[in-house]
Every structure is written in C-alpha cells, then in structure tokens.
Amino acid sequence: MKKYQQKSLIAVLTGVLVFVVGSLVLLYFAGHKLAAAIQKDAKQIVNHIDAAVSERRQILFPLNALNFSECSDENLLEMRRALFDAKYVVDIGFFKNNQLVCTTGSGVLKTPINDRTPDYIRNNLESKNDNNIRVRFEPKLKILLFEERIMQVVIVRQGNYNLIMDTAAISRSNIAAPYWEITYKTGSDSFHLAGKSGLSKELASHKQIPFETALMCSDKNTGYCVAVRTPWSEFFADNQFLLIISLILTCLTGVSSALIVDYQIAARRSTNNRVRKGLTKGSFYWTYQPIICLHTGKVIGCEVLARFEDKYGPLYPDEFIPVIRKNNLTWSFTQAMVAKVLKELTELDDLPTGFKVSINIFPCDVELGNVSLLTQEPALINSRFIICLEITEDEYLDTSIAHAHFRTLVDSGFNLSLDDFGTGYSNLRNLQNLSFHQLKIDRTFVQDIATQGLKASMIPNIMELVRKFNYTCVAEGIETTEQEAMLKSAGVHYGQGWKYGRPMKVDKFKRYIAQQTL
C-alpha cells in the first residue's frame, strides 16, 4: 500500500473511531438522561401512591370511628365532607350487612348492591381495632351518578365504608413515561392497581434494553411498587432535534479529528520534520564511494556521501540538504558526520596510511568560522588518513574571512578541494587566492563526453587551470570506459563514479577494499 494511501486510511479510521466513540458517549449520556427521567417518574408515582394511601387513612379512619349503623342524612353529610378535599377519591359508599346502601354521589340507593369479592385483602397493621382493607381493581366502572362515564378505578373498603379512587389523577400529573404500572405485592402474588396491566411481569420475564426501565417500591407503604418503561424509540422521537444536532456535532468532530490526524501525519512525515529528528535519532548514515587513480587503477581514497532513511523511507540528498541549510543545521550535521565516519573508517585495518577521505563542508560554515573548530578535534588531526574538505563554489568563499579560515585549515594539515567546479560562483581570482589543493570536475562535464557537448569541450581548458595552479584533479560521475579514456588523456589524475563502485556502507566498502588489495 502506498504511503499516501496508508496516511489517508489512518486519518479515515481515526475519524470513524472518534465518531463511533462520540456516538457511544452521546448514547451513554442520553441513556443516563433517559434513566434519570424514568427514575423521576417512578419516584413521582410512588409519591402519588403514598399520598393516596394517606388520603385513604384520612377518610376511612374518621368515618369508621363515627360508628354509623344507618345511611342517615348525618352519615351522608360526613361522607360528603370527607370527599370535599379529596384528590384521588371520587366517591364514598356506605355498607350495611355487606351491601352498598348509599354513596356520596347517588345518596340512598333504591336497591342495595352486594359487595364483590376483592382482589386481595390487606392486613391492617395501622390499628388493631380497624378491619382489614379489601382492595379491588375495576378497569371499567360506571359511577351511579354518571353512568355514561367509564372509569378505571381502585375500590378500597375498610369497615362500613369504601372509596372509589380514580387512577386518572396520576395520569393527569406530570408523568412523561408512556408505560407504567402500580402493583401491590404480597408474598409471591402481585396485584395490578393502576397503569398498564402486566408491565411489571413483562419487565421481570424479558431482558430489557439498558436505561429504559425502572422498578421502585414505596418505603412508607410496604408492598406498593411501580414499574416504569420508556422505550428508546420514543425517547429519541421526543428528543429528535437534540439528537440530530448531537449527531451532526459528533460527525463534525470525527471529520475534524481525521483532518487533524492527516495534518499531524503529514507534518511528522514532512521532510523538514524528518530531517530535524533524524539528526538525533540516527536516521542519517554515511556511504563511501571509492576514488581511483586513473593512471594506476588503484584506490587512493573515498568520498563520504550522506544518506537518510527513517521509518517513512529514504530521502535523497537533494531533498534533505536544502532542509539542513534552511534550518541552520549544517554544523550539527557536519559534526555528526565527522564523528561517525572517523569511527567507522578507523576500524578498517585494510585502509593504508595516507588514504584520502573527502568530506563535504557547507560554505556557510566557512563564513561563520565553524570549520576552524575542526582543527581542535584530535581525532581528525591525529588521523592516519588525509582529510580532504570538499567545499562547493559559493560567494561565501570570496571573502577575507573565508581566506583566513582556509589558511588555518591548511596549516593544520587538511587538504582543500573545490567541489563541482564550473557550476557555482567561479572566478580566476578565487582559484589563485584560495589555498586549495584539488579541483573536482562536476559530473555534468563528464556526461557530456559521449555527446561531445559544450561542457565536454571545456575539460582541456579546466586542466590548463589545474596545471597552472598546481592542483590535482578529480572527475566525478565516470560510468564508461570511453569517459575514463578521454579524461585520462586530458590529464585528469583521479576519478570516481559507478564504473569503479557505487556509494556503499562501511561493511560493503571493507569487502571492496579487501578485493582491491588481493
């Protein structure tokens, strides 16, 4: 897979991951909001239960305490007084001989009504003198006074009185949950009192999606419990605007994360960043290209050439050299090169004393005086090699400061070589004034030999300058025997190029030297 495809894939996966995580976080908080709403509804319904039970006590206890035996006007008056401030009770009835004989709404009945069997009887623990509480759920009750009205009620009888308690009072309150049920539990039995019948059993017998259900029981009135359920689908339907906005924001976060990661990856893989980190992380390494005496065919030295490779792949010199210059890393780069090269070459016993090692120096380090620091390196000064500093033609060389530094280097035993002659800032005064020992003919002159181009025709003129200033001459980029023969006939002393050997790492260079000495 290509690098840009890998980078894009990582960015996309990051965006997807952020979107998924964001959606899960959104879902988590939505779940907690849903659970909080359900818990709020459950608590509110439990409060209704406690209030209804309290209201039942406040009505039935005093009425039974009056000990009426007949449905007299006085009895009806007390019943209607008790009903006046009731919130849950809509009618009160009076029983005689287990028959309903009068109600607050209808007064004295023409025909008494027999009491029905209760759904359950709750032991009355509130008072030893009161009768047990008989409870019956009526899903469709017609009140005598308004027979056209059908109500879902709970009928509670205690002693000679019963209460008709309307469950709609709970529904009319601020309950957001669409499904809820009130039950009374005694032992293993559970009795429906209000809401959606069977909801409690349904929640107990089936696995539910997290957060959408709640079960709560009253602490004040043992046995009364409420089950509440709000499906996720209805929760999302009620909050669809907020959900859409949240999903859009999550999506934008995912896209933004992908773009940021893409930018970060691009920044990390940028040549500038890679080169800066490469100096400290060992991404640079050095190769050695042999320099051959054209007249004897023997290896007399080598040029040190920098290479770069990190986890993102290699960089070519024309990519990393401008970055080194731009970021003022030239001297750090040179120091790292000198230290590594001396260590590697010193360990090669096959290299003879006087072996020439050519190292490239940045012209700006000449002007800044950094090159003079090389004279303070004992490893360089005491080396068994001839250290040749190759400096590319540049306007920095045409200064008195540069000239002074060059003399210091020469006095310390370094050789100086003018690199890539003919391609830079050349003039005869430089050749005459600078303390150089060697001139290198650029490869473009050598490659022109095959086509007999203009640059190739200039080689004899270059050699006249070499002889005039008593330099030695090295030709770069020799690849063919024809090029070698013409350069040799022109008087060029040394050559380097793929004809003799490509730049190689120290281990391969060691084997190359060993083969040359056989």
Side-chain angles (χ1 to χ4, degrees), residues 288 302 304 340-351 355-359 384-385 387 506 509:
Y288 307 92
C302 67
V304 179
K340 187 66 174 178
V341 167
L342 282 179
K343 182 178 183 301
E344 289 184 343
L345 294 183
T346 301
E347 294 174 354
L348 300 185
D349 296 332
D350 291 337
L351 295 182
F355 189 81
K356 183 180 289 187
V357 178
S358 295
I359 297 174
R384 72 176 189 270
F385 309 121
I387 305 300
V506 66
F509 185 63

Side-chain angles (χ1 to χ4, degrees), residues 161-292:
Y161 296 89
N162 76 348
L163 307 178
I164 297 178
M165 308 188 78
D166 185 11
T167 60
I170 300 176
S171 302
R172 287 193 296 267
S173 63
N174 191 24
I175 304 296
Y179 308 110
W180 54 271
E181 181 186 24
I182 299 174
T183 58
Y184 178 77
K185 295 181 180 180
T186 173
S188 59
D189 297 324
S190 179
F191 302 95
H192 173 77
L193 295 178
K196 182 184 178 183
S197 180
L199 180 62
S200 296
K201 293 181 180 179
E202 179 185 337
L203 299 187
S205 60
H206 297 87
K207 289 185 178 179
Q208 304 298 319
I209 301 176
F211 302 114
E212 69 174 18
T213 62
L215 179 65
M216 186 180 296
C217 296
S218 173
D219 295 329
K220 298 179 180 179
N221 298 282
T222 306
Y224 291 103
C225 295
V226 57
V228 182
R229 177 172 180 258
T230 298
W232 276 99
S233 57
E234 297 193 23
F235 173 77
F236 287 140
D238 293 338
N239 298 273
Q240 56 182 330
F241 179 75
L242 179 62
L243 175 65
I244 291 172
I245 295 298
S246 299
L247 285 176
I248 291 174
L249 292 176
T250 302
C251 185
L252 290 176
T253 301
V255 172
S256 300
S257 300
L259 293 175
I260 291 172
V261 169
D262 185 70
Y263 173 79
Q264 291 293 334
I265 292 175
R268 289 182 62 187
R269 292 184 175 182
S270 68
T271 301
N272 187 73
N273 194 57
R274 290 171 64 187
V275 170
R276 291 178 67 90
K277 289 185 176 180
L279 281 174
T280 57
K281 293 189 174 182
S283 300
F284 283 97
Y285 65 95
W286 283 267
T287 60
Y288 307 92
Q289 186 173 32
I291 299 175
I292 307 297

Side-chain angles (χ1 to χ4, degrees), residues 52 55-56 59-60 63 79 82-83 86-95 100 102-106 109 113 115-116 134-146 149-158 160-169 172 193:
E55 187 171 284
R56 183 262 303 169
I59 293 176
L60 291 179
L63 286 176
M79 291 165 59
L83 182 63
K87 177 179 180 181
Y88 302 97
V89 177
V90 294
D91 204 359
I92 303 175
F94 177 75
F95 285 81
L100 181 66
C102 66
T103 69
T104 55
S106 301
L109 304 180
I113 300 174
D115 193 13
R116 295 182 182 179
R134 300 158 62 90
V135 181
R136 187 174 88 248
F137 172 69
E138 278 291 345
K140 296 179 180 180
L141 178 70
K142 294 181 179 180
I143 295 194
L144 296 177
L145 188 61
F146 303 101
R149 289 184 61 184
I150 299 176
M151 304 176 67
Q152 185 182 95
V153 300
V154 175
I155 301 175
V156 182
R157 179 182 172 187
Q158 185 177 4
N160 292 330
Y161 296 89
N162 76 348
L163 307 178
I164 297 178
M165 308 188 78
D166 185 11
T167 60
R172 287 193 296 267
L193 295 178

Side-chain angles (χ1 to χ4, degrees), residues 60 75 128 197 277 307 344 350 358 365 372 390 403 406 414 435:
L60 291 179
N75 189 2
K128 294 182 179 179
S197 180
K277 289 185 176 180
R307 297 293 182 263
E344 289 184 343
D350 291 337
S358 295
D365 285 327
S372 296
E390 295 190 3
H403 295 181
F406 286 147
F414 292 96
S435 305

Side-chain angles (χ1 to χ4, degrees), residues 3-67:
K3 292 179 182 178
Y4 71 88
Q5 291 177 323
Q6 292 177 338
K7 182 179 73 171
S8 299
L9 180 60
I10 292 173
V12 169
L13 289 177
T14 300
V16 171
L17 179 62
V18 170
F19 176 76
V20 171
V21 172
S23 299
L24 291 175
V25 171
L26 175 64
L27 190 62
Y28 175 79
F29 283 107
H32 277 275
K33 181 180 179 181
L34 174 59
I38 292 176
Q39 289 290 326
K40 179 182 177 182
D41 286 341
K43 186 174 181 180
Q44 189 170 347
I45 295 173
V46 168
N47 290 337
H48 279 295
I49 294 172
D50 293 337
V53 172
S54 177
E55 187 171 284
R56 183 262 303 169
R57 294 193 190 104
Q58 292 172 2
I59 293 176
L60 291 179
F61 285 179
L63 286 176
N64 280 298
L66 294 174
N67 293 320

Side-chain angles (χ1 to χ4, degrees), residues 396-512:
Y396 285 133
L397 306 184
D398 192 17
T399 66
S400 58
I401 296 176
H403 295 181
H405 292 313
F406 286 147
R407 285 191 294 271
T408 300
L409 291 170
V410 172
D411 292 342
S412 299
F414 292 96
N415 280 6
L416 300 182
S417 175
L418 189 60
D419 197 12
D420 298 334
F421 180 76
T423 63
Y425 187 84
S426 303
N427 59 63
L428 292 177
R429 189 180 65 180
N430 272 350
L431 292 178
Q432 185 174 5
N433 294 339
L434 298 179
S435 305
F436 278 69
H437 302 82
Q438 179 176 278
L439 182 149
K440 291 191 78 171
I441 299 176
D442 185 68
R443 65 181 62 250
T444 57
F445 290 85
V446 177
Q447 291 169 355
D448 236 19
I449 290 176
T451 59
Q452 297 182 349
L454 177 62
K455 285 189 174 182
S457 65
M458 295 175 62
I459 292 178
N461 297 326
I462 294 174
M463 291 310 300
E464 288 183 13
L465 295 175
V466 168
R467 287 188 288 270
K468 178 179 179 180
F469 296 112
N470 198 27
Y471 289 173
T472 58
C473 182
V474 180
E476 294 182 304
I478 301 175
E479 298 179 1
T480 66
T481 302
E482 179 187 3
Q483 292 170 342
E484 180 188 54
M486 185 171 179
L487 293 167
K488 184 177 179 180
S489 64
V492 176
H493 306 97
Y494 308 116
Q496 70 181 91
W498 287 3
K499 175 176 173 54
Y500 312 112
R502 297 194 179 198
M504 58 196 82
K505 290 185 178 181
V506 66
D507 292 340
K508 188 174 181 181
F509 185 63
K510 180 180 180 180
R511 293 193 294 272
Y512 175 86

